[in-house]
Amino acid sequence: MASHRKSRTPGTRVAGIRTPALATAALTSVALLSQTAEAAPGEDRPSLEEVEKKVGDLYRQAESATEKYNAAKEKTGKQRKRVDTLLDDVAKRTQKLNEARSELGSYAAAQYRTGAGMPDTATFLLAETPQDIFDQRQVLDRMTGRQKAAVDDYVTQQTETMKKRQEATESLRTLTETQGDLKTAKATVQKKLADARELLSKLTAEEKARLAAIEKRKQEEAARKAAELARQQAEQEQAREEAAQQGGGASEGSGSTGSTETPPADSSYGTKAAKAMAFARAQIGKPYVWGATGPGSYDCSGLTQAAWKAAGVSLPRTTYDQVNAGTTVPVSQAQPGDLVFFYDDVTHVGIYIGNGMMIHAPKPGTYVREESIYYDGDSAIHSIVRPA
């Protein structure tokens, strides 16, 4: 199903969906923050809010690199299969070429033994390129029917073998490039996670407790916003039911209440969504592992892909592609089963389960869990997509 997302002016909101805004100010280097954390007594230290933001930014950068890793891994896998297929084809064609060469050689040997004086067949065995063969095809007029057939077969096998060898060479070059991208993305993920761990390791026990308190306040605010969304959605559902009940007696053209809203998901979608959510719930408690697609661990897009696969719907591997694999709807009209995407660079995703809540694989060091879609603030929500 094609995406209905439209380009919008940065910094605005349309139907409850946060549009991409200008990138946030460049982050100060991890080295500088680490030095500050180790500063001598009396020197300025970053506030816990600054540390919390820095760690959060590093985790998001790690997720961004993870999605690039996922894309490179998928591309590398496909390219490796193509290379294997081409190399197998080259081996088969080489065998056929050798058989054709052997038959052609038998005619050349016979000409030599009988003293025919015109080793026409042998000239083709000396040809190294299709052009050589083309230049020598005029000698076919001096050959017998069986010789011509042997030459034609040899020419065909040699031309096709050369073609496949060239394709295999180009595919191997592409495979090398994608493997390089994979290696770079993997190193980036590992570096961002190491930087985050280093920052956290420099906190005192008291600072860690205060940081936990900050996180608790964020969760409480996220729960409040989720409850408010649930209330709004319940009111909308009640209004729809009342409109449907009154629809029979309404005059023609009066049913315009929902004209500006996205129609609710149909029963078929509801059935698939229920299967996807049931799968996601069964994964709760399993660890987040970047690049993982199950069954023992998942990253964010690996979980949503696996959940909808259980419902018979094939989603792309990465968040960048999943966000375009359905119809975009306003946050206020999110239905259970919809995908919730986060951040301007679309690097995180969860599966909506209703009442402002979702199931997602949050970040390294955590587990698949239920959480408010406002877990990182309402401004973090990028869009809601209905995938089927």
Side-chain angles (χ1 to χ4, degrees):
M1 186 182 301
S3 172
H4 290 254
R5 294 175 62 222
K6 299 180 180 179
S7 60
R8 300 182 288 272
T9 303
T12 63
R13 277 182 170 273
V14 178
I17 301 175
R18 187 172 70 86
T19 58
L22 294 175
T24 55
L27 299 172
T28 55
S29 69
V30 173
L32 178 60
L33 187 55
S34 298
Q35 292 169 6
T36 305
E38 296 174 332
E43 294 186 21
D44 290 338
R45 283 172 57 89
S47 67
L48 282 177
E49 288 77 7
E50 290 173 332
V51 173
E52 192 257 354
K53 181 181 183 303
K54 168 62 74 172
V55 171
D57 288 338
L58 285 169
Y59 277 135
R60 284 193 289 275
Q61 291 171 28
E63 267 200 312
S64 177
T66 293
E67 292 305 312
K68 291 178 181 178
Y69 170 86
N70 291 338
K73 183 178 180 180
E74 185 176 44
K75 185 177 180 180
T76 298
K78 291 179 179 179
Q79 194 61 32
R80 183 175 288 112
K81 288 181 180 179
R82 174 170 171 74
V83 168
D84 290 343
T85 298
L86 286 170
L87 290 177
D88 185 57
D89 197 7
V90 167
K92 292 177 180 178
R93 291 189 179 281
T94 298
Q95 182 178 355
K96 291 182 178 179
L97 177 62
N98 290 335
E99 292 171 355
R101 180 183 288 112
S102 178
E103 183 177 2
L104 206 56
S106 66
Y107 285 111
Q111 287 177 330
Y112 180 79
R113 287 195 303 271
T114 59
M118 290 194 309
D120 299 331
T121 306
T123 62
F124 286 91
L125 293 174
L126 298 176
E128 295 182 354
T129 68
Q131 184 61 45
D132 292 337
I133 295 173
F134 177 80
D135 294 339
Q136 296 168 8
R137 287 186 72 92
Q138 59 183 342
V139 302
L140 283 173
D141 293 337
R142 300 193 294 271
M143 293 183 177
T144 67
R146 292 183 64 184
Q147 285 178 308
K148 289 180 181 180
V151 168
D152 282 340
D153 182 46
Y154 179 77
V155 170
T156 298
Q157 296 302 332
Q158 187 182 54
T159 302
E160 288 300 315
T161 300
M162 290 178 178
K163 179 180 177 181
K164 290 299 179 181
R165 283 175 179 168
Q166 181 61 31
E167 290 181 15
T169 299
E170 293 175 356
S171 291
L172 281 168
R173 186 182 303 113
T174 300
L175 177 60
T176 299
E177 293 174 356
T178 57
Q179 287 175 327
D181 294 339
L182 186 65
K183 184 177 180 180
T184 298
K186 181 178 181 179
T188 301
V189 174
Q190 293 172 330
K191 178 64 166 59
K192 298 300 180 183
L193 295 180
D195 289 344
R197 287 193 295 269
E198 181 181 0
L199 281 176
L200 291 173
S201 70
K202 296 180 183 299
L203 297 178
T204 65
E206 179 184 355
E207 288 173 328
K208 289 179 180 179
R210 289 166 55 197
L211 193 61
I214 293 174
E215 181 62 26
K216 182 179 180 181
R217 288 196 297 271
K218 286 180 62 177
Q219 291 177 354
E220 290 172 347
E221 177 62 14
R224 185 191 67 77
K225 291 181 178 179
E228 175 63 18
L229 176 61
R231 183 188 64 77
Q232 293 175 359
Q233 290 179 330
E235 290 177 351
Q236 291 177 1
E237 180 61 26
Q238 182 178 358
R240 281 195 293 265
E241 291 177 356
E242 291 176 353
Q245 292 172 359
Q246 298 173 4
S251 59
E252 184 176 353
S254 64
S256 59
T257 302
S259 60
T260 60
E261 296 183 351
T262 303
D266 59 27
S267 59
S268 174
Y269 178 80
T271 299
K272 295 176 182 177
K275 292 180 179 178
M277 289 188 294
F279 179 92
R281 283 195 176 93
Q283 313 314 307
I284 290 176
K286 293 183 178 180
Y288 174 103
V289 174
W290 64 273
T293 57
S297 58
Y298 297 89
D299 63 17
C300 66
S301 56
L303 176 64
T304 52
Q305 183 189 49
W308 271 100
K309 182 179 180 181
V313 176
S314 178
L315 291 182
R317 175 63 182 94
T318 68
T319 55
Y320 310 129
D321 293 324
Q322 288 183 11
V323 75
N324 294 316
T327 303
T328 301
V329 300
V331 173
S332 62
Q333 296 173 38
Q335 295 284 328
D338 292 349
L339 301 178
V340 189
F341 293 91
F342 297 86
Y343 311 118
D344 289 338
D345 52 359
V346 197
T347 52
H348 188 65
V349 62
I351 182 167
Y352 190 66
I353 58 174
N355 296 322
M357 302 294 288
M358 66 178 174
I359 296 175
H360 70 148
K363 60 186 178 182
T366 62
Y367 299 84
V368 176
R369 66 193 183 201
E370 289 188 17
E371 193 162 27
S372 167
I373 64 173
Y374 300 105
Y375 80 106
D376 204 19
D378 55 357
S379 63
I381 298 175
H382 177 275
S383 57
I384 309 290
V385 173
R386 191 158 296 156

